[in-house]
């Protein structure tokens, strides 16, 4: 258990126990136009309407721009300059948006792609993804040179959670040199093994940073449309905690 101090040592955390703008010492907002990824509709902004700490939680809010048919704003926040993780355990306790068209994610990318230029060769770790048209089905996935979504063979697993938008759950990753283990609360959802053949199958041998975002629409999130009446839609994050194995 993560509560066992003989096994785990807390090395970085964000509890969001303040009000207003997300702590700039910990979070950087990526500012991106609509269509930057996956034909998504949202513009990513650094704006209190889209991201703020409030009542002990981080709120990331996807909003419809009034007077437009397909205009949305949202936030994409990263720890690229504050917390880079290699091995250990990371937990994010969150409540998810369920509006049609939402595509929230808790995920990780490498700090450096040196020697493995471009996605997916440098790797991607998706701790949690959810799409609004398939409410309560939470996905954990990995992308690598050999195993990725364009190839149609990326390792992925799902878990069904009732009340995913009403209750907080802990989405966690335990990362060793041998494997990545993905958890929801105490339940192991997926294990991805290092087969020992090199970075093409296991690029998880260097530091990664955390990303929190809500996309709107796009190649996956928008497969069954977007219901403007269901916005604004929010992901609430109670905490982020990073542990080293003792």
């Amino acid at each position: 258990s993560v509560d066992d101090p003989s096994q785990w040592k807390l090395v970085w955390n964000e509890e969001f126990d303040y009000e207003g703008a997300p702590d700039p010492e910990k979070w950087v907002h990526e500012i991106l136009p609509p269509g930057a990824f996956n034909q998504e509709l949202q513009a990513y902004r650094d704006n209190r309407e889209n991201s703020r700490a409030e009542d002990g939680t981080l709120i990331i809010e996807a909003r419809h721009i009034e007077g437009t048919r397909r205009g949305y704003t949202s936030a994409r926040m990263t720890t690229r300059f504050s917390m880079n993780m290699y091995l250990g355990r990371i937990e994010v306790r969150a409540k998810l948006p369920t509006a049609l068209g939402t595509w929230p994610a808790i995920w990780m990318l490498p700090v450096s792609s040196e020697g493995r230029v471009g996605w997916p060769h440098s790797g991607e770790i998706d701790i949690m993804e959810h799409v609004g048209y398939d409410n309560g089905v939470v996905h954990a996935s990995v992308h690598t040179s050999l195993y990725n979504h364009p190839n149609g063979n990326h390792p992925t697993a799902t878990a069904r959670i009732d009340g995913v938008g009403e209750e907080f759950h802990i989405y966690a990753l335990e990362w060793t040199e041998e494997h990545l283990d993905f958890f929801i609360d105490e339940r192991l959802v997926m294990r991805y093994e290092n087969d020992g053949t090199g970075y093409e199958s296991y690029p998880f041998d260097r530091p990664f940073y955390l990303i929190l975002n809500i996309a709107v629409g796009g190649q996956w999130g928008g497969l069954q449309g977007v219901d403007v009446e269901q916005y604004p839609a929010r992901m609430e994050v109670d905490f982020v905690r990073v542990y080293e194995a003792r």
Side-chain angles (χ1 to χ4, degrees):
S1 157
V2 77
D3 300 321
D4 179 358
S6 67
Q7 186 184 5
W8 296 106
K9 175 187 173 193
L10 183 69
V11 292
W12 190 92
N13 66 311
E14 165 66 290
E15 307 292 329
F16 301 108
D17 51 3
Y18 52 88
E19 301 286 317
D23 181 352
E25 297 288 309
K26 292 184 173 173
W27 301 101
V28 169
H29 285 76
E30 298 193 335
I31 311 301
L32 294 160
F37 302 105
N38 308 309
Q39 297 157 21
E40 295 159 12
L41 301 178
Q42 79 289 334
Y44 283 127
R45 306 192 307 176
D46 180 358
N47 185 301
R48 293 303 73 73
E49 288 185 341
N50 299 112
S51 59
R52 60 194 176 274
E54 194 173 276
D55 298 327
T57 63
L58 169 71
I59 295 169
I60 294 181
E61 195 161 83
R63 303 176 67 95
H64 174 244
I65 303 171
E66 277 189 48
T68 68
R69 196 167 66 85
R70 291 162 60 83
Y72 291 84
T73 60
S74 187
R76 173 166 157 146
M77 299 166 46
T78 92
T79 65
R80 184 166 195 163
F81 302 108
S82 64
M83 189 282 292
N84 299 333
M85 176 184 177
Y86 172 59
L87 308 181
R89 177 180 167 98
I90 182 168
E91 301 180 334
V92 180
R93 185 172 187 260
K95 188 159 65 172
L96 307 181
T98 55
L100 187 65
T102 52
W103 178 1
I106 299 166
W107 56 300
M108 304 185 81
L109 286 175
V111 179
S112 166
S113 59
E114 187 181 348
R116 349 182 147 160
V117 174
W119 187 92
H121 308 293
S122 50
E124 176 180 322
I125 303 169
D126 298 319
I127 300 171
M128 187 291 303
E129 290 182 282
H130 179 269
V131 288
Y133 69 79
D134 199 7
N135 262 327
V137 177
V138 175
H139 303 253
S141 307
V142 163
H143 301 274
T144 72
S145 284
L146 291 177
Y147 309 111
N148 55 68
H149 182 260
N151 285 355
N153 65 356
H154 70 296
T156 187
T158 58
R160 181 167 285 285
I161 306 181
D162 294 328
V164 75
E166 284 82 56
E167 290 157 14
F168 284 94
H169 295 275
I170 293 177
Y171 302 96
L173 168 75
E174 286 186 13
W175 177 0
T176 73
E177 291 174 352
E178 287 79 43
H179 56 251
L180 302 177
D181 280 351
F182 297 80
F183 296 88
I184 299 176
D185 299 321
E186 297 298 308
R187 174 169 42 151
L188 179 66
V189 175
M190 182 173 86
R191 167 169 286 185
Y192 180 68
E193 303 261 7
N194 183 355
D195 64 9
T197 62
Y199 86 83
E200 291 90 349
S201 67
Y202 203 79
F204 311 113
D205 57 352
R206 51 172 65 175
F208 278 56
Y209 62 92
L210 179 69
I211 306 168
L212 304 173
N213 70 286
I214 304 175
V216 180
Q219 289 161 325
W220 185 18
L223 279 179
Q224 296 187 21
V226 183
D227 181 1
V228 67
E229 298 298 321
Q230 296 179 32
Y231 292 76
R234 57 172 59 176
M235 175 161 67
E236 296 183 45
V237 179
D238 180 31
F239 60 70
V240 179
R241 295 175 184 165
V242 180
Y243 300 84
E244 280 176 3
R246 287 193 186 271

